[in-house]
Each structure stands twice: as C-alpha cells, then as structure tokens.
Amino acid sequence: MSVPLNPTQLTPPRVAFIDDRTGAISREWYRFFLSLLTATQNNQQETQLAPDTSSLLASYDAVFADAIQGLESAPDCCSETASLSAEVNELAQTTGVVPPAATESALAVIQSQLQALALAPPPLDELAIRALTPAATAPVTKVADFTVADNETWIINNKSGSTCTVTLPSAATNSGRYLTFQNNQAQTLVSASSDVVPQGGGAATTAILTNVSGNWATLVSDGTNWVIMQAASFNTLLY
C-alpha cells in the first residue's frame, strides 16, 4: 500500500512574501517551501508519483497565485506616504497653521503692497488737475456777458455800454484755481452769483471790478467762494 503525499500547511496569502525589514523572503514562506521540499523528498523515497500528483501541483499553483495577488494588492509605501502628506496638508489648512517659509513670503508681498500704496499719490480727477495746474493760456477778450471756460485764466472785459456779468466756475470743484480779470472799458464787472469775497474779507457779493478802465483783480477759489487776493487800479504801482 502506497504512502500518501504529506501535504504541508499552506501559508495564508495575507502574509507578505518579502520581509520589509530584511528585504529577504519572509520566515513563514521560507518554512512553507522548506516543508514542501521535505515532504517531496520523503514521498519520492517511499512511493512513486500517484495519479493525483497533477491536482496537487495545481493546488500549489493556486496557492502561489493567491500569494502573488495578495502581494500586488498590498498597500504601496509611496501611496501611503502621499495619503499621509495629504492628511497633514488638510490638517494645516483646518487649523490655520502654515509653514514658516510661506508666512514670510506672504508678509513680503503684503509689505511691498503697503509700500506701493504709501508712495503712490491718490488719483486726481480732471477738474482737480485743472484747478491745481491751470493751463498757461493767452489772455482772452470778452465783449459781452460770458461764462469762464475751463481753459481761461487771463480775461479782459471789453464790453461797452453797460455792466458786464461773468458766470464763474464752481468754487467747490475748482479749489486753488485762480482767475485774473482786467477792465478795458469804464464799466463794472460783476459775478452772476454772490460768490466773490472782497479784499479784506466779509460776506460774498457779486462785485469784481469797479467802472474804471485798467482796473484788475485776481480771484482764487477757496473751495466755497472766489476770494479777491490781488487788485489794483489803473497805473497803480504794486510794491
């Protein structure tokens, strides 16, 4: 009577084939192959191959296939590291903790923006620019009532026969702007509104020039009214 083959205990597929600590075959698989070799040698000595040898080999092949599949499906060290890094980043975002280098970089950007804001002058609209830097224009002569244009600074009143009325620009939107008027006729020059403060101060009125040819006056906007800052009669010397 033939002696049956000595089946060895199979190593579970969950056991790693390669030991991570040594880089060699794991102890469990080594013992499995050693017991397999021992059983094979004993069976060869005691009996010839039985008809069911092929099925036994097929079983071993299945065991090896399962082991290989288990190794392939085992977690990869790189993927585990990537997953851990993702969790750390998520935790940092949740707690508001950022790496020191990132903080220094952000502070540098903020500091440069603040410096740019401190150095950059505030934007000026077109009217403000005109008020601060009136255009250098030639004198213009008026022969009838008129409205001062944006590009007019030196204005001659040459209206004859009656008082000349001028509509001045808005003092509120022309703060700092100056206008100089001169009479070439013996007629008064008045503003269309009570927005002219005389020399020496007082309430705003309409008077600008008296009815003397050659009289002149310079008006400057203070943001509320037009203030007469300089004025003189014809042939009067200024000191």
Side-chain angles (χ1 to χ4, degrees):
M1 177 176 162
S2 62
V3 179
L5 293 175
N6 180 22
T8 185
Q9 184 176 359
L10 299 179
T11 301
R14 66 175 177 274
V15 178
F17 189 74
I18 300 298
D19 192 333
D20 293 335
R21 296 169 298 178
T22 63
I25 187 171
S26 63
R27 182 171 179 271
E28 291 79 5
W29 282 104
Y30 172 77
R31 294 183 61 184
F32 168 75
F33 287 117
L34 180 60
S35 62
L36 181 62
L37 176 62
T38 302
T40 303
Q41 291 175 343
N42 293 337
N43 287 329
Q44 286 180 347
Q45 295 173 0
E46 296 177 4
T47 185
Q48 295 181 348
L49 290 177
D52 60 349
T53 303
S54 59
S55 62
L56 182 61
L57 293 177
S59 299
Y60 286 147
D61 290 340
V63 171
F64 283 124
D66 291 340
I68 294 174
Q69 183 177 3
L71 290 175
E72 292 177 349
S73 61
D76 181 65
C77 61
C78 296
S79 62
E80 287 291 334
T81 303
S83 176
L84 180 59
S85 177
E87 292 178 1
V88 171
N89 291 334
E90 182 179 359
L91 179 61
Q93 293 176 358
T94 303
T95 58
V97 178
V98 294
T103 302
E104 293 175 2
S105 176
L107 289 176
V109 172
I110 294 174
Q111 184 177 7
S112 63
Q113 292 176 347
L114 291 176
Q115 290 176 349
L117 291 175
L119 296 177
L124 296 176
D125 56 25
E126 183 178 357
L127 291 178
I129 294 175
R130 289 179 179 177
L132 293 175
T133 56
T137 59
V140 293
T141 300
K142 307 293 183 178
V143 296
D145 296 344
F146 63 96
T147 298
V148 177
D150 290 338
N151 61 342
E152 294 176 343
T153 302
W154 308 91
I155 304 168
I156 297 172
N157 170 30
N158 200 32
K159 179 185 177 182
S160 62
S162 63
T163 296
C164 181
T165 301
V166 54
T167 300
L168 299 173
S170 170
T173 56
N174 287 274
S175 181
R177 182 180 177 183
Y178 65 85
L179 300 170
T180 297
F181 297 95
Q182 176 180 295
N183 263 345
N184 278 7
Q185 295 285 335
Q187 303 294 336
T188 56
L189 176 67
V190 298
S191 173
S193 303
S194 296
D195 55 358
V196 179
V197 177
Q199 276 186 303
T205 65
T206 61
I208 299 176
L209 296 176
T210 59
N211 57 346
V212 177
S213 178
N215 282 3
W216 64 270
T218 297
L219 283 63
V220 180
S221 170
D222 65 357
T224 302
N225 293 300
W226 290 91
V227 181
I228 298 179
M229 299 299 297
Q230 298 182 103
S233 300
F234 185 55
N235 286 335
T236 298
L237 296 178
L238 297 180
Y239 296 95

